[in-house]
PDB file of all heavy atoms in Angstrom:
ATOM      1  N   SER A 140       0.797  -1.229   0.000  1.00 97.00           N
ATOM      2  CA  SER A 140       0.000   0.000   0.000  1.00 97.00           C
ATOM      3  C   SER A 140       0.825   1.273   0.000  1.00 97.00           C
ATOM      4  O   SER A 140       0.305   2.335  -0.345  1.00 97.00           O
ATOM      5  CB  SER A 140      -0.932   0.008   1.221  1.00 97.00           C
ATOM      6  OG  SER A 140      -1.831  -1.087   1.170  1.00 97.00           O
ATOM      7  N   GLY A 141       2.075   1.198   0.429  1.00 98.00           N
ATOM      8  CA  GLY A 141       2.837   2.433   0.509  1.00 98.00           C
ATOM      9  C   GLY A 141       4.312   2.181   0.750  1.00 98.00           C
ATOM     10  O   GLY A 141       4.742   1.047   1.015  1.00 98.00           O
ATOM     11  N   LEU A 142       5.079   3.246   0.655  1.00 98.00           N
ATOM     12  CA  LEU A 142       6.509   3.223   0.930  1.00 98.00           C
ATOM     13  C   LEU A 142       6.812   4.260   1.998  1.00 98.00           C
ATOM     14  O   LEU A 142       6.097   5.258   2.135  1.00 98.00           O
ATOM     15  CB  LEU A 142       7.306   3.509  -0.341  1.00 98.00           C
ATOM     16  CG  LEU A 142       7.060   2.525  -1.495  1.00 98.00           C
ATOM     17  CD1 LEU A 142       7.822   2.955  -2.736  1.00 98.00           C
ATOM     18  CD2 LEU A 142       7.444   1.105  -1.106  1.00 98.00           C
ATOM     19  N   TYR A 143       7.866   4.017   2.743  1.00 98.00           N
ATOM     20  CA  TYR A 143       8.182   4.828   3.921  1.00 98.00           C
ATOM     21  C   TYR A 143       9.567   5.436   3.783  1.00 98.00           C
ATOM     22  O   TYR A 143      10.548   4.718   3.548  1.00 98.00           O
ATOM     23  CB  TYR A 143       8.113   3.948   5.173  1.00 98.00           C
ATOM     24  CG  TYR A 143       8.609   4.604   6.430  1.00 98.00           C
ATOM     25  CD1 TYR A 143       7.889   5.616   7.038  1.00 98.00           C
ATOM     26  CD2 TYR A 143       9.809   4.207   7.021  1.00 98.00           C
ATOM     27  CE1 TYR A 143       8.343   6.231   8.212  1.00 98.00           C
ATOM     28  CE2 TYR A 143      10.265   4.805   8.185  1.00 98.00           C
ATOM     29  CZ  TYR A 143       9.538   5.811   8.769  1.00 98.00           C
ATOM     30  OH  TYR A 143       9.987   6.405   9.915  1.00 98.00           O
ATOM     31  N   TRP A 144       9.656   6.759   3.926  1.00 98.00           N
ATOM     32  CA  TRP A 144      10.939   7.451   3.896  1.00 98.00           C
ATOM     33  C   TRP A 144      11.592   7.318   5.260  1.00 98.00           C
ATOM     34  O   TRP A 144      11.095   7.830   6.265  1.00 98.00           O
ATOM     35  CB  TRP A 144      10.748   8.912   3.515  1.00 98.00           C
ATOM     36  CG  TRP A 144      12.012   9.707   3.405  1.00 98.00           C
ATOM     37  CD1 TRP A 144      12.374  10.774   4.177  1.00 98.00           C
ATOM     38  CD2 TRP A 144      13.075   9.508   2.472  1.00 98.00           C
ATOM     39  NE1 TRP A 144      13.592  11.260   3.778  1.00 98.00           N
ATOM     40  CE2 TRP A 144      14.054  10.498   2.727  1.00 98.00           C
ATOM     41  CE3 TRP A 144      13.305   8.599   1.436  1.00 98.00           C
ATOM     42  CZ2 TRP A 144      15.234  10.605   2.000  1.00 98.00           C
ATOM     43  CZ3 TRP A 144      14.481   8.703   0.707  1.00 98.00           C
ATOM     44  CH2 TRP A 144      15.423   9.698   0.991  1.00 98.00           C
ATOM     45  N   LEU A 145      12.734   6.624   5.310  1.00 97.00           N
ATOM     46  CA  LEU A 145      13.319   6.229   6.583  1.00 97.00           C
ATOM     47  C   LEU A 145      13.971   7.391   7.327  1.00 97.00           C
ATOM     48  O   LEU A 145      13.961   7.417   8.566  1.00 97.00           O
ATOM     49  CB  LEU A 145      14.340   5.117   6.348  1.00 97.00           C
ATOM     50  CG  LEU A 145      14.956   4.478   7.595  1.00 97.00           C
ATOM     51  CD1 LEU A 145      13.879   3.860   8.483  1.00 97.00           C
ATOM     52  CD2 LEU A 145      15.973   3.413   7.188  1.00 97.00           C
ATOM     53  N   ASP A 146      14.567   8.343   6.624  1.00 96.00           N
ATOM     54  CA  ASP A 146      15.195   9.486   7.294  1.00 96.00           C
ATOM     55  C   ASP A 146      14.118  10.271   8.039  1.00 96.00           C
ATOM     56  O   ASP A 146      13.109  10.673   7.451  1.00 96.00           O
ATOM     57  CB  ASP A 146      15.893  10.370   6.263  1.00 96.00           C
ATOM     58  CG  ASP A 146      16.798  11.400   6.902  1.00 96.00           C
ATOM     59  OD1 ASP A 146      16.878  11.441   8.143  1.00 96.00           O
ATOM     60  OD2 ASP A 146      17.422  12.178   6.157  1.00 96.00           O
ATOM     61  N   GLU A 147      14.335  10.546   9.327  1.00 96.00           N
ATOM     62  CA  GLU A 147      13.281  11.103  10.171  1.00 96.00           C
ATOM     63  C   GLU A 147      13.239  12.619  10.191  1.00 96.00           C
ATOM     64  O   GLU A 147      12.527  13.210  11.009  1.00 96.00           O
ATOM     65  CB  GLU A 147      13.401  10.551  11.591  1.00 96.00           C
ATOM     66  CG  GLU A 147      13.133   9.059  11.670  1.00 96.00           C
ATOM     67  CD  GLU A 147      13.193   8.520  13.093  1.00 96.00           C
ATOM     68  OE1 GLU A 147      13.542   9.298  14.013  1.00 96.00           O
ATOM     69  OE2 GLU A 147      12.884   7.339  13.288  1.00 96.00           O
ATOM     70  N   GLN A 148      13.968  13.273   9.307  1.00 96.00           N
ATOM     71  CA  GLN A 148      13.839  14.714   9.177  1.00 96.00           C
ATOM     72  C   GLN A 148      14.179  15.112   7.746  1.00 96.00           C
ATOM     73  O   GLN A 148      14.759  14.328   6.987  1.00 96.00           O
ATOM     74  CB  GLN A 148      14.737  15.457  10.156  1.00 96.00           C
ATOM     75  CG  GLN A 148      16.221  15.382   9.872  1.00 96.00           C
ATOM     76  CD  GLN A 148      17.023  16.291  10.792  1.00 96.00           C
ATOM     77  OE1 GLN A 148      16.504  16.907  11.731  1.00 96.00           O
ATOM     78  NE2 GLN A 148      18.313  16.404  10.533  1.00 96.00           N
ATOM     79  N   VAL A 149      13.794  16.324   7.374  1.00 97.00           N
ATOM     80  CA  VAL A 149      14.228  16.880   6.102  1.00 97.00           C
ATOM     81  C   VAL A 149      15.698  17.248   6.263  1.00 97.00           C
ATOM     82  O   VAL A 149      16.082  17.877   7.246  1.00 97.00           O
ATOM     83  CB  VAL A 149      13.399  18.128   5.730  1.00 97.00           C
ATOM     84  CG1 VAL A 149      13.917  18.746   4.432  1.00 97.00           C
ATOM     85  CG2 VAL A 149      11.921  17.757   5.594  1.00 97.00           C
ATOM     86  N   SER A 150      16.513  16.846   5.311  1.00 95.00           N
ATOM     87  CA  SER A 150      17.941  17.133   5.418  1.00 95.00           C
ATOM     88  C   SER A 150      18.175  18.633   5.584  1.00 95.00           C
ATOM     89  O   SER A 150      17.491  19.460   4.981  1.00 95.00           O
ATOM     90  CB  SER A 150      18.677  16.634   4.181  1.00 95.00           C
ATOM     91  OG  SER A 150      20.013  17.106   4.164  1.00 95.00           O
ATOM     92  N   THR A 151      19.161  18.976   6.396  1.00 95.00           N
ATOM     93  CA  THR A 151      19.498  20.383   6.600  1.00 95.00           C
ATOM     94  C   THR A 151      20.263  20.979   5.421  1.00 95.00           C
ATOM     95  O   THR A 151      20.509  22.179   5.391  1.00 95.00           O
ATOM     96  CB  THR A 151      20.338  20.555   7.878  1.00 95.00           C
ATOM     97  OG1 THR A 151      21.529  19.753   7.761  1.00 95.00           O
ATOM     98  CG2 THR A 151      19.553  20.129   9.106  1.00 95.00           C
ATOM     99  N   SER A 152      20.648  20.161   4.450  1.00 94.00           N
ATOM    100  CA  SER A 152      21.332  20.685   3.275  1.00 94.00           C
ATOM    101  C   SER A 152      20.354  21.471   2.405  1.00 94.00           C
ATOM    102  O   SER A 152      19.130  21.310   2.506  1.00 94.00           O
ATOM    103  CB  SER A 152      21.937  19.551   2.447  1.00 94.00           C
ATOM    104  OG  SER A 152      20.929  18.818   1.786  1.00 94.00           O
ATOM    105  N   ALA A 153      20.883  22.286   1.521  1.00 91.00           N
ATOM    106  CA  ALA A 153      20.031  23.096   0.647  1.00 91.00           C
ATOM    107  C   ALA A 153      19.166  22.233  -0.257  1.00 91.00           C
ATOM    108  O   ALA A 153      18.065  22.640  -0.643  1.00 91.00           O
ATOM    109  CB  ALA A 153      20.903  24.025  -0.200  1.00 91.00           C
ATOM    110  N   SER A 154      19.628  21.024  -0.587  1.00 94.00           N
ATOM    111  CA  SER A 154      18.879  20.159  -1.497  1.00 94.00           C
ATOM    112  C   SER A 154      17.931  19.209  -0.772  1.00 94.00           C
ATOM    113  O   SER A 154      17.311  18.361  -1.415  1.00 94.00           O
ATOM    114  CB  SER A 154      19.846  19.345  -2.362  1.00 94.00           C
ATOM    115  OG  SER A 154      20.635  18.480  -1.556  1.00 94.00           O
ATOM    116  N   GLY A 155      17.808  19.335   0.556  1.00 95.00           N
ATOM    117  CA  GLY A 155      16.954  18.420   1.309  1.00 95.00           C
ATOM    118  C   GLY A 155      15.517  18.373   0.821  1.00 95.00           C
ATOM    119  O   GLY A 155      15.000  17.310   0.467  1.00 95.00           O
ATOM    120  N   PRO A 156      14.819  19.509   0.774  1.00 97.00           N
ATOM    121  CA  PRO A 156      13.436  19.487   0.276  1.00 97.00           C
ATOM    122  C   PRO A 156      13.341  19.021  -1.177  1.00 97.00           C
ATOM    123  O   PRO A 156      12.414  18.298  -1.547  1.00 97.00           O
ATOM    124  CB  PRO A 156      12.993  20.945   0.431  1.00 97.00           C
ATOM    125  CG  PRO A 156      13.858  21.495   1.518  1.00 97.00           C
ATOM    126  CD  PRO A 156      15.181  20.826   1.325  1.00 97.00           C
ATOM    127  N   GLU A 157      14.306  19.421  -1.995  1.00 97.00           N
ATOM    128  CA  GLU A 157      14.293  19.039  -3.410  1.00 97.00           C
ATOM    129  C   GLU A 157      14.403  17.520  -3.562  1.00 97.00           C
ATOM    130  O   GLU A 157      13.693  16.900  -4.376  1.00 97.00           O
ATOM    131  CB  GLU A 157      15.443  19.734  -4.126  1.00 97.00           C
ATOM    132  CG  GLU A 157      15.486  19.506  -5.623  1.00 97.00           C
ATOM    133  CD  GLU A 157      16.665  20.218  -6.278  1.00 97.00           C
ATOM    134  OE1 GLU A 157      17.447  20.893  -5.553  1.00 97.00           O
ATOM    135  OE2 GLU A 157      16.799  20.086  -7.509  1.00 97.00           O
ATOM    136  N   THR A 158      15.282  16.910  -2.776  1.00 96.00           N
ATOM    137  CA  THR A 158      15.420  15.457  -2.821  1.00 96.00           C
ATOM    138  C   THR A 158      14.108  14.774  -2.480  1.00 96.00           C
ATOM    139  O   THR A 158      13.686  13.828  -3.150  1.00 96.00           O
ATOM    140  CB  THR A 158      16.530  15.001  -1.859  1.00 96.00           C
ATOM    141  OG1 THR A 158      17.795  15.476  -2.322  1.00 96.00           O
ATOM    142  CG2 THR A 158      16.577  13.485  -1.751  1.00 96.00           C
ATOM    143  N   LEU A 159      13.447  15.250  -1.443  1.00 97.00           N
ATOM    144  CA  LEU A 159      12.182  14.630  -1.049  1.00 97.00           C
ATOM    145  C   LEU A 159      11.108  14.803  -2.114  1.00 97.00           C
ATOM    146  O   LEU A 159      10.272  13.917  -2.305  1.00 97.00           O
ATOM    147  CB  LEU A 159      11.713  15.206   0.286  1.00 97.00           C
ATOM    148  CG  LEU A 159      12.199  14.435   1.518  1.00 97.00           C
ATOM    149  CD1 LEU A 159      11.809  15.153   2.798  1.00 97.00           C
ATOM    150  CD2 LEU A 159      11.625  13.029   1.521  1.00 97.00           C
ATOM    151  N   ARG A 160      11.104  15.916  -2.796  1.00 97.00           N
ATOM    152  CA  ARG A 160      10.135  16.092  -3.884  1.00 97.00           C
ATOM    153  C   ARG A 160      10.383  15.081  -5.006  1.00 97.00           C
ATOM    154  O   ARG A 160       9.434  14.553  -5.601  1.00 97.00           O
ATOM    155  CB  ARG A 160      10.179  17.530  -4.409  1.00 97.00           C
ATOM    156  CG  ARG A 160       9.625  18.558  -3.425  1.00 97.00           C
ATOM    157  CD  ARG A 160       9.507  19.944  -4.040  1.00 97.00           C
ATOM    158  NE  ARG A 160       8.937  20.884  -3.092  1.00 97.00           N
ATOM    159  CZ  ARG A 160       9.641  21.697  -2.305  1.00 97.00           C
ATOM    160  NH1 ARG A 160      10.978  21.694  -2.397  1.00 97.00           N
ATOM    161  NH2 ARG A 160       9.054  22.512  -1.462  1.00 97.00           N
ATOM    162  N   HIS A 161      11.640  14.805  -5.286  1.00 97.00           N
ATOM    163  CA  HIS A 161      11.964  13.793  -6.295  1.00 97.00           C
ATOM    164  C   HIS A 161      11.565  12.398  -5.811  1.00 97.00           C
ATOM    165  O   HIS A 161      11.073  11.579  -6.596  1.00 97.00           O
ATOM    166  CB  HIS A 161      13.459  13.841  -6.624  1.00 97.00           C
ATOM    167  CG  HIS A 161      13.847  14.960  -7.527  1.00 97.00           C
ATOM    168  ND1 HIS A 161      14.062  14.796  -8.879  1.00 97.00           N
ATOM    169  CD2 HIS A 161      14.046  16.277  -7.285  1.00 97.00           C
ATOM    170  CE1 HIS A 161      14.385  15.950  -9.433  1.00 97.00           C
ATOM    171  NE2 HIS A 161      14.392  16.870  -8.480  1.00 97.00           N
ATOM    172  N   VAL A 162      11.787  12.121  -4.528  1.00 98.00           N
ATOM    173  CA  VAL A 162      11.406  10.825  -3.964  1.00 98.00           C
ATOM    174  C   VAL A 162       9.889  10.640  -4.031  1.00 98.00           C
ATOM    175  O   VAL A 162       9.388   9.587  -4.458  1.00 98.00           O
ATOM    176  CB  VAL A 162      11.899  10.701  -2.513  1.00 98.00           C
ATOM    177  CG1 VAL A 162      11.288   9.471  -1.835  1.00 98.00           C
ATOM    178  CG2 VAL A 162      13.425  10.621  -2.475  1.00 98.00           C
ATOM    179  N   SER A 163       9.148  11.649  -3.606  1.00 98.00           N
ATOM    180  CA  SER A 163       7.688  11.531  -3.615  1.00 98.00           C
ATOM    181  C   SER A 163       7.161  11.373  -5.036  1.00 98.00           C
ATOM    182  O   SER A 163       6.197  10.618  -5.274  1.00 98.00           O
ATOM    183  CB  SER A 163       7.045  12.743  -2.935  1.00 98.00           C
ATOM    184  OG  SER A 163       7.333  13.944  -3.624  1.00 98.00           O
ATOM    185  N   ALA A 164       7.776  12.042  -6.004  1.00 98.00           N
ATOM    186  CA  ALA A 164       7.350  11.885  -7.394  1.00 98.00           C
ATOM    187  C   ALA A 164       7.558  10.449  -7.863  1.00 98.00           C
ATOM    188  O   ALA A 164       6.695   9.869  -8.543  1.00 98.00           O
ATOM    189  CB  ALA A 164       8.118  12.855  -8.286  1.00 98.00           C
ATOM    190  N   ALA A 165       8.695   9.861  -7.496  1.00 98.00           N
ATOM    191  CA  ALA A 165       8.959   8.473  -7.876  1.00 98.00           C
ATOM    192  C   ALA A 165       7.941   7.525  -7.244  1.00 98.00           C
ATOM    193  O   ALA A 165       7.461   6.583  -7.889  1.00 98.00           O
ATOM    194  CB  ALA A 165      10.379   8.087  -7.465  1.00 98.00           C
ATOM    195  N   VAL A 166       7.603   7.761  -5.986  1.00 98.00           N
ATOM    196  CA  VAL A 166       6.621   6.926  -5.283  1.00 98.00           C
ATOM    197  C   VAL A 166       5.249   7.051  -5.943  1.00 98.00           C
ATOM    198  O   VAL A 166       4.571   6.054  -6.223  1.00 98.00           O
ATOM    199  CB  VAL A 166       6.552   7.308  -3.796  1.00 98.00           C
ATOM    200  CG1 VAL A 166       5.383   6.616  -3.107  1.00 98.00           C
ATOM    201  CG2 VAL A 166       7.864   6.964  -3.099  1.00 98.00           C
ATOM    202  N   HIS A 167       4.838   8.273  -6.223  1.00 98.00           N
ATOM    203  CA  HIS A 167       3.518   8.497  -6.808  1.00 98.00           C
ATOM    204  C   HIS A 167       3.431   7.976  -8.241  1.00 98.00           C
ATOM    205  O   HIS A 167       2.380   7.478  -8.670  1.00 98.00           O
ATOM    206  CB  HIS A 167       3.171   9.983  -6.759  1.00 98.00           C
ATOM    207  CG  HIS A 167       3.057  10.517  -5.374  1.00 98.00           C
ATOM    208  ND1 HIS A 167       3.301  11.835  -5.041  1.00 98.00           N
ATOM    209  CD2 HIS A 167       2.735   9.903  -4.201  1.00 98.00           C
ATOM    210  CE1 HIS A 167       3.126  12.006  -3.743  1.00 98.00           C
ATOM    211  NE2 HIS A 167       2.787  10.852  -3.214  1.00 98.00           N
ATOM    212  N   ASP A 168       4.530   8.064  -8.978  1.00 98.00           N
ATOM    213  CA  ASP A 168       4.540   7.529 -10.345  1.00 98.00           C
ATOM    214  C   ASP A 168       4.277   6.029 -10.360  1.00 98.00           C
ATOM    215  O   ASP A 168       3.805   5.480 -11.366  1.00 98.00           O
ATOM    216  CB  ASP A 168       5.885   7.809 -11.015  1.00 98.00           C
ATOM    217  CG  ASP A 168       6.056   9.272 -11.402  1.00 98.00           C
ATOM    218  OD1 ASP A 168       5.047  10.012 -11.368  1.00 98.00           O
ATOM    219  OD2 ASP A 168       7.193   9.674 -11.717  1.00 98.00           O
ATOM    220  N   ASN A 169       4.583   5.375  -9.253  1.00 97.00           N
ATOM    221  CA  ASN A 169       4.367   3.928  -9.154  1.00 97.00           C
ATOM    222  C   ASN A 169       3.068   3.573  -8.435  1.00 97.00           C
ATOM    223  O   ASN A 169       2.832   2.399  -8.128  1.00 97.00           O
ATOM    224  CB  ASN A 169       5.555   3.281  -8.444  1.00 97.00           C
ATOM    225  CG  ASN A 169       6.760   3.142  -9.346  1.00 97.00           C
ATOM    226  OD1 ASN A 169       6.878   2.159 -10.079  1.00 97.00           O
ATOM    227  ND2 ASN A 169       7.651   4.123  -9.321  1.00 97.00           N
ATOM    228  N   GLY A 170       2.252   4.583  -8.147  1.00 97.00           N
ATOM    229  CA  GLY A 170       0.930   4.331  -7.603  1.00 97.00           C
ATOM    230  C   GLY A 170       0.866   4.089  -6.114  1.00 97.00           C
ATOM    231  O   GLY A 170      -0.137   3.566  -5.612  1.00 97.00           O
ATOM    232  N   PHE A 171       1.910   4.474  -5.364  1.00 98.00           N
ATOM    233  CA  PHE A 171       1.929   4.248  -3.923  1.00 98.00           C
ATOM    234  C   PHE A 171       1.781   5.555  -3.153  1.00 98.00           C
ATOM    235  O   PHE A 171       1.976   6.650  -3.692  1.00 98.00           O
ATOM    236  CB  PHE A 171       3.238   3.567  -3.501  1.00 98.00           C
ATOM    237  CG  PHE A 171       3.454   2.222  -4.113  1.00 98.00           C
ATOM    238  CD1 PHE A 171       4.574   1.984  -4.899  1.00 98.00           C
ATOM    239  CD2 PHE A 171       2.553   1.198  -3.926  1.00 98.00           C
ATOM    240  CE1 PHE A 171       4.790   0.745  -5.479  1.00 98.00           C
ATOM    241  CE2 PHE A 171       2.747  -0.051  -4.497  1.00 98.00           C
ATOM    242  CZ  PHE A 171       3.879  -0.279  -5.284  1.00 98.00           C
ATOM    243  N   LYS A 172       1.474   5.433  -1.885  1.00 98.00           N
ATOM    244  CA  LYS A 172       1.479   6.553  -0.954  1.00 98.00           C
ATOM    245  C   LYS A 172       2.834   6.592  -0.247  1.00 98.00           C
ATOM    246  O   LYS A 172       3.442   5.556   0.019  1.00 98.00           O
ATOM    247  CB  LYS A 172       0.351   6.425   0.078  1.00 98.00           C
ATOM    248  CG  LYS A 172      -1.045   6.428  -0.526  1.00 98.00           C
ATOM    249  CD  LYS A 172      -1.356   7.736  -1.226  1.00 98.00           C
ATOM    250  CE  LYS A 172      -2.787   7.770  -1.748  1.00 98.00           C
ATOM    251  NZ  LYS A 172      -3.079   9.029  -2.469  1.00 98.00           N
ATOM    252  N   LEU A 173       3.270   7.801   0.089  1.00 98.00           N
ATOM    253  CA  LEU A 173       4.541   7.968   0.787  1.00 98.00           C
ATOM    254  C   LEU A 173       4.275   8.305   2.246  1.00 98.00           C
ATOM    255  O   LEU A 173       3.600   9.290   2.558  1.00 98.00           O
ATOM    256  CB  LEU A 173       5.372   9.069   0.130  1.00 98.00           C
ATOM    257  CG  LEU A 173       6.767   9.320   0.737  1.00 98.00           C
ATOM    258  CD1 LEU A 173       7.618   8.056   0.696  1.00 98.00           C
ATOM    259  CD2 LEU A 173       7.468  10.459   0.012  1.00 98.00           C
ATOM    260  N   PHE A 174       4.832   7.491   3.155  1.00 98.00           N
ATOM    261  CA  PHE A 174       4.656   7.639   4.598  1.00 98.00           C
ATOM    262  C   PHE A 174       5.936   8.204   5.220  1.00 98.00           C
ATOM    263  O   PHE A 174       7.036   8.015   4.716  1.00 98.00           O
ATOM    264  CB  PHE A 174       4.346   6.281   5.240  1.00 98.00           C
ATOM    265  CG  PHE A 174       2.984   5.735   4.898  1.00 98.00           C
ATOM    266  CD1 PHE A 174       2.707   5.224   3.634  1.00 98.00           C
ATOM    267  CD2 PHE A 174       1.969   5.712   5.845  1.00 98.00           C
ATOM    268  CE1 PHE A 174       1.463   4.711   3.319  1.00 98.00           C
ATOM    269  CE2 PHE A 174       0.715   5.203   5.548  1.00 98.00           C
ATOM    270  CZ  PHE A 174       0.464   4.705   4.279  1.00 98.00           C
ATOM    271  N   TRP A 175       5.745   8.848   6.383  1.00 98.00           N
ATOM    272  CA  TRP A 175       6.891   9.462   7.079  1.00 98.00           C
ATOM    273  C   TRP A 175       6.546   9.596   8.556  1.00 98.00           C
ATOM    274  O   TRP A 175       5.397   9.883   8.922  1.00 98.00           O
ATOM    275  CB  TRP A 175       7.175  10.836   6.486  1.00 98.00           C
ATOM    276  CG  TRP A 175       8.457  11.483   6.892  1.00 98.00           C
ATOM    277  CD1 TRP A 175       9.681  10.896   6.989  1.00 98.00           C
ATOM    278  CD2 TRP A 175       8.657  12.868   7.224  1.00 98.00           C
ATOM    279  NE1 TRP A 175      10.634  11.820   7.359  1.00 98.00           N
ATOM    280  CE2 TRP A 175      10.038  13.037   7.495  1.00 98.00           C
ATOM    281  CE3 TRP A 175       7.821  13.978   7.285  1.00 98.00           C
ATOM    282  CZ2 TRP A 175      10.578  14.260   7.860  1.00 98.00           C
ATOM    283  CZ3 TRP A 175       8.359  15.197   7.639  1.00 98.00           C
ATOM    284  CH2 TRP A 175       9.716  15.337   7.918  1.00 98.00           C
ATOM    285  N   ILE A 176       7.563   9.390   9.438  1.00 98.00           N
ATOM    286  CA  ILE A 176       7.363   9.527  10.886  1.00 98.00           C
ATOM    287  C   ILE A 176       8.512  10.359  11.445  1.00 98.00           C
ATOM    288  O   ILE A 176       9.512   9.817  11.950  1.00 98.00           O
ATOM    289  CB  ILE A 176       7.275   8.150  11.575  1.00 98.00           C
ATOM    290  CG1 ILE A 176       6.255   7.254  10.873  1.00 98.00           C
ATOM    291  CG2 ILE A 176       6.885   8.303  13.044  1.00 98.00           C
ATOM    292  CD1 ILE A 176       6.180   5.842  11.434  1.00 98.00           C
ATOM    293  N   PRO A 177       8.428  11.683  11.379  1.00 98.00           N
ATOM    294  CA  PRO A 177       9.528  12.533  11.861  1.00 98.00           C
ATOM    295  C   PRO A 177       9.602  12.559  13.383  1.00 98.00           C
ATOM    296  O   PRO A 177       8.584  12.467  14.070  1.00 98.00           O
ATOM    297  CB  PRO A 177       9.154  13.909  11.314  1.00 98.00           C
ATOM    298  CG  PRO A 177       7.658  13.881  11.245  1.00 98.00           C
ATOM    299  CD  PRO A 177       7.300  12.475  10.855  1.00 98.00           C
ATOM    300  N   HIS A 178      10.819  12.706  13.903  1.00 97.00           N
ATOM    301  CA  HIS A 178      10.982  12.809  15.351  1.00 97.00           C
ATOM    302  C   HIS A 178      10.619  14.213  15.821  1.00 97.00           C
ATOM    303  O   HIS A 178      10.421  15.137  15.028  1.00 97.00           O
ATOM    304  CB  HIS A 178      12.398  12.416  15.781  1.00 97.00           C
ATOM    305  CG  HIS A 178      13.497  13.231  15.187  1.00 97.00           C
ATOM    306  ND1 HIS A 178      13.799  14.510  15.616  1.00 97.00           N
ATOM    307  CD2 HIS A 178      14.391  12.963  14.212  1.00 97.00           C
ATOM    308  CE1 HIS A 178      14.819  14.985  14.951  1.00 97.00           C
ATOM    309  NE2 HIS A 178      15.202  14.075  14.076  1.00 97.00           N
ATOM    310  N   PHE A 179      10.536  14.388  17.132  1.00 96.00           N
ATOM    311  CA  PHE A 179      10.017  15.628  17.708  1.00 96.00           C
ATOM    312  C   PHE A 179      10.840  16.844  17.300  1.00 96.00           C
ATOM    313  O   PHE A 179      10.305  17.930  17.089  1.00 96.00           O
ATOM    314  CB  PHE A 179       9.972  15.519  19.238  1.00 96.00           C
ATOM    315  CG  PHE A 179       9.330  16.698  19.912  1.00 96.00           C
ATOM    316  CD1 PHE A 179       7.954  16.746  20.078  1.00 96.00           C
ATOM    317  CD2 PHE A 179      10.083  17.769  20.375  1.00 96.00           C
ATOM    318  CE1 PHE A 179       7.340  17.837  20.688  1.00 96.00           C
ATOM    319  CE2 PHE A 179       9.487  18.862  20.989  1.00 96.00           C
ATOM    320  CZ  PHE A 179       8.108  18.887  21.137  1.00 96.00           C
ATOM    321  N   LEU A 180      12.155  16.679  17.200  1.00 95.00           N
ATOM    322  CA  LEU A 180      13.023  17.794  16.842  1.00 95.00           C
ATOM    323  C   LEU A 180      13.477  17.703  15.379  1.00 95.00           C
ATOM    324  O   LEU A 180      14.566  18.155  15.023  1.00 95.00           O
ATOM    325  CB  LEU A 180      14.231  17.836  17.773  1.00 95.00           C
ATOM    326  CG  LEU A 180      13.913  18.135  19.242  1.00 95.00           C
ATOM    327  CD1 LEU A 180      15.174  18.058  20.090  1.00 95.00           C
ATOM    328  CD2 LEU A 180      13.253  19.497  19.399  1.00 95.00           C
TER     329      LEU A 180
END
């Protein structure tokens, strides 16, 4: 039913959000939902 992004935060690098957008596009292109469980900080 879905795939899970294991890294528990958005990377602090400048490309962190961009990488996740590419990951989510790949997941959605294959018909899955993307799950995430970020830590408190």
Side-chain angles (χ1 to χ4, degrees):
S140 299
L142 301 176
Y143 171 71
W144 182 244
L145 186 59
D146 192 359
E147 294 182 355
Q148 70 173 6
V149 177
S150 170
T151 58
S152 72
S154 63
E157 184 180 0
T158 294
L159 269 174
R160 290 188 178 95
H161 282 260
V162 169
S163 63
V166 171
H167 296 152
D168 287 347
N169 283 274
F171 299 121
K172 298 297 184 182
L173 182 58
F174 290 73
W175 191 43
I176 309 176
H178 59 76
F179 185 86
L180 295 176

